[in-house]
Amino acid sequence: MSRVAGAGGAVVVTAGAVIMLVALVAPDGSWWAGYVSEAGTAGQPYAIPYRAGLVLLAAGVALVGLALRALRAASVALFVAAGLAATSGLVACTDRCPLPPYEPTTPADVVHAAASVVGMVVLAGAMALVWLSDLRTGITRLAGVAVALLVPLGAVLGLLMLFVGRSDLGALVERAVLFVAVSWLVGTGLLLGSGRPVYVH
């Protein structure tokens, strides 16, 4: 079960991320500007594919969580992160994804932003739980590298969103955060699907 769920999670996360990436880069203009979620707002040409890709990615996160069920806390954290990611995909923000305190927001904007931010924090927590676990495989080392990258990047992004608001640097850091998160999910899924046993002492 862990092998199938891990490999499936890696495939589904990759598929969701690719759909989101295509939806992000396909429209005219720079895909480095603004928040990634802006690709899913009403009026964007690929809003529906983007949001569907995010929901698909959330399903992949849940599969990786299922594959990691030997680590109960990390598995639960991944299921929570999956639910929050799906919420982010189903509840789209309005045009340009405004955030307080710099721009007027709607309830949908707040729900979308909260689900996205809390989901990423919970995902980082899952990484840390795997890293600090008693696993004796490459999964632990991969999680350690991911935590070492994601935590400082996430802190910078949070500070930029809080004190600067929309910025080109914030857009770049957000994409780096997402790249690390997707890479960890795919890598962990592949390791779990490789057939090597997961030991817990």
Side-chain angles (χ1 to χ4, degrees):
M1 177 65 75
S2 291
R3 289 182 61 184
V4 173
V11 170
V12 174
V13 167
T14 300
V18 169
I19 293 171
M20 293 170 64
L21 180 61
V22 171
L24 183 65
V25 304
D28 296 332
S30 173
W31 70 286
W32 290 101
Y35 298 116
V36 171
S37 294
E38 292 179 35
T41 58
Q44 292 298 315
Y46 300 97
I48 298 302
Y50 173 88
R51 293 167 63 185
L54 182 51
V55 173
L56 184 62
L57 188 148
V61 175
L63 283 172
V64 176
L66 178 62
L68 271 174
R69 65 189 185 280
L71 294 177
R72 186 177 301 275
S75 179
V76 170
L78 283 171
F79 278 111
V80 173
L84 290 166
T87 300
S88 179
L90 294 171
V91 181
C93 51
T94 57
D95 185 46
R96 291 173 58 83
C97 291
L99 291 176
Y102 302 100
E103 302 165 295
T105 59
T106 67
D109 294 324
V110 174
V111 170
H112 176 88
S116 300
V117 172
V118 176
M120 191 58 67
V121 171
V122 173
L123 185 67
M127 291 179 185
L129 287 168
V130 174
W131 176 43
L132 296 172
S133 72
D134 290 326
L135 295 182
R136 292 295 180 262
T137 67
I139 294 172
T140 306
R141 293 187 291 274
L142 178 62
V145 172
V147 168
L149 292 172
L150 189 65
V151 170
L153 285 171
V156 170
L157 179 59
L159 291 172
L160 287 170
M161 293 172 68
L162 184 61
F163 294 108
V164 178
R166 185 184 305 277
S167 68
D168 291 340
L169 179 58
L172 178 63
V173 175
E174 181 192 29
R175 285 153 177 77
V177 166
L178 293 173
F179 176 78
V180 172
V182 169
S183 297
W184 176 72
L185 288 164
V186 172
T188 300
L190 290 175
L191 287 172
L192 290 166
S194 68
R196 297 180 180 180
V198 175
Y199 297 105
V200 182
H201 301 288

